[in-house]
Amino acid sequence: MRFNSVIISSFFASAVLAAPGRERRSWSANTTLDSNWAGSITTLEGNGTFGYVSSTVYAPDLSGQVGSSGVALIGIDGTPACLGGMLQLGVMFNIAVEGPSYLAAYRYGNESEGFFTNVDIIAGDAIKLMVSAPVDATLGFVMVKNLRNNQTATQQFNSTERLCGKTAEWIVESLVIEDPKSPLVNFGTVTFADVQVGGGKDFGPQTDSILNIIENGKVLTSVSVEDDSVLVKYL
Ligand SMILES: *[C@@H]1O[C@H](CO)[C@@H](O)[C@H](O)[C@H]1NC(C)=O
Ligand SMILES: *[C@@H]1O[C@H](CO)[C@@H](O)[C@H](O)[C@H]1NC(C)=O
Ligand SMILES: *[C@@H]1O[C@H](CO)[C@@H](O)[C@H](O)[C@H]1NC(C)=O
Ligand SMILES: *[C@@H]1O[C@H](CO)[C@@H](O)[C@H](O)[C@H]1NC(C)=O
Ligand SMILES: *[C@@H]1O[C@H](CO)[C@@H](O)[C@H](O)[C@H]1NC(C)=O
């Protein structure tokens, strides 16, 4: 149950691609189609910052070709609205030769990432994710817990000073590799339950942007948002 190096490097590559000058994402406030994000983004208007984001995400059933992949993640920033900064945590998934494979992973800053190999994840597991980054402090923190086996991992970050704290997201991301691109895996439905955001304002559907992934002119996802959950369906 290992990711191949292509998938690991693709996770890194997509973080790099979010950096200035190499932007591939066409995200903007009222755009609903995106090259690699599907889900919900909450934008904080006016003063204040998001201090934490959390959710329980269910590791999805996967189908499709070997090498296809994706990641379900939550986070603060990571859009072009805050160039350079982000703190994200999620579950990467792909179809390896031996079958579906899952790995908890995080991103921070503008091009760094890490993996929690000590949290075993299989399809159907409920994975509690929490990202905390008081922007007026300098410490950031992520925590992942598999509620099936209680395996937990945490990581602290010394400096979150590059964060803006103005957007929070619950998304499925298509992993971008320059060449070749890993296809988005058929993930059925990814459910983000118990969606919470704090520090700025309460999560509410009326202030969300909904994004769906479009690729070669074809819309690949459908998103629905309820009071405390975000569902991303692969079409
Ligand atoms: C990423 O951050 C480092 C450190 O602040 C900076 O030197 C580098 O230019 C940044 N890269 C991009 C692409 O913004
Ligand atoms: C985006 O939507 C907001 C809220 O509906 C609106 O105020 C703003 O003018 C829109 N911006 C653009 C560029 O359409
Ligand atoms: C934001 O903060 C500034 C400076 O404290 C203040 O002047 C402004 O009125 C605030 N805006 C809102 C929308 O609260
Ligand atoms: C996980 O923790 C809960 C609460 O402490 C406990 O009830 C449960 O038995 C634990 N499950 C496993 C698999 O360790
Ligand atoms: C993190 O911050 C602590 C306390 O300021 C400092 O001692 C430590 O060297 C820092 N670590 C890194 C990796 O910057």
Side-chain angles (χ1 to χ4, degrees):
M1 299 293 281
R2 288 189 160 274
F3 281 81
N4 62 44
S5 60
V6 170
I7 298 302
I8 297 289
S9 65
S10 77
F11 190 71
F12 178 73
S14 63
V16 171
L17 289 171
R22 306 187 68 193
E23 186 54 51
R24 288 270 179 93
R25 203 181 304 137
S26 58
W27 188 90
S28 71
N30 298 339
T31 301
T32 57
L33 294 175
D34 187 270
S35 59
N36 66 333
W37 277 19
S40 172
I41 297 181
T42 294
T43 301
L44 187 59
E45 311 290 347
N47 293 338
T49 53
F50 290 123
Y52 76 87
V53 179
S54 66
S55 178
T56 298
V57 66
Y58 290 84
D61 282 316
L62 306 178
S63 58
Q65 69 187 90
V66 169
S68 57
S69 66
V71 55
L73 57 81
I74 70 169
I76 295 174
D77 298 329
T79 72
C82 183
L83 292 177
M86 73 177 88
L87 185 57
Q88 297 176 329
L89 172 69
V91 178
M92 296 173 60
F93 36 82
N94 80 340
I95 299 186
V97 173
E98 323 84 70
S101 178
Y102 303 83
L103 179 63
Y106 58 87
R107 285 183 188 141
Y108 64 100
N110 64 359
E111 54 183 76
S112 302
E113 85 297 319
F115 306 95
F116 292 127
T117 54
N118 56 332
V119 178
D120 291 326
I121 300 171
I122 58 174
D125 283 356
I127 311 296
K128 173 84 178 159
L129 302 172
M130 200 271 285
V131 166
S132 169
V135 174
D136 54 355
T138 54
L139 282 184
F141 182 77
V142 297
M143 186 213 71
V144 55
K145 179 176 184 180
N146 186 335
L147 299 179
R148 173 178 58 85
N149 56 22
N150 287 342
Q151 291 175 349
T152 303
T154 63
Q155 179 69 44
Q156 188 170 303
F157 305 91
N158 247 11
S159 174
T160 59
E161 62 197 14
R162 296 177 68 88
L163 291 181
C164 308
K166 293 296 186 185
T167 60
E169 65 266 3
W170 300 266
I171 55 167
V172 173
E173 179 175 314
S174 173
L175 294 171
V176 176
I177 313 178
E178 304 222 89
D179 188 25
K181 187 180 192 305
S182 173
L184 183 62
V185 70
N186 182 344
F187 53 80
T189 298
V190 166
T191 300
F192 295 91
D194 302 324
V195 161
Q196 292 182 40
V197 60
K201 65 171 177 48
D202 292 332
F203 177 81
Q206 71 281 5
T207 53
D208 287 332
S209 294
I210 305 296
L211 300 185
N212 278 299
I213 294 173
I214 186 168
E215 207 178 84
N216 300 325
K218 189 176 176 226
V219 178
L220 299 183
T221 59
S222 164
V223 174
S224 58
V225 177
E226 291 157 23
D227 281 349
D228 66 349
S229 63
V230 176
L231 272 64
V232 184
K233 188 169 185 285
Y234 184 93
L235 297 176

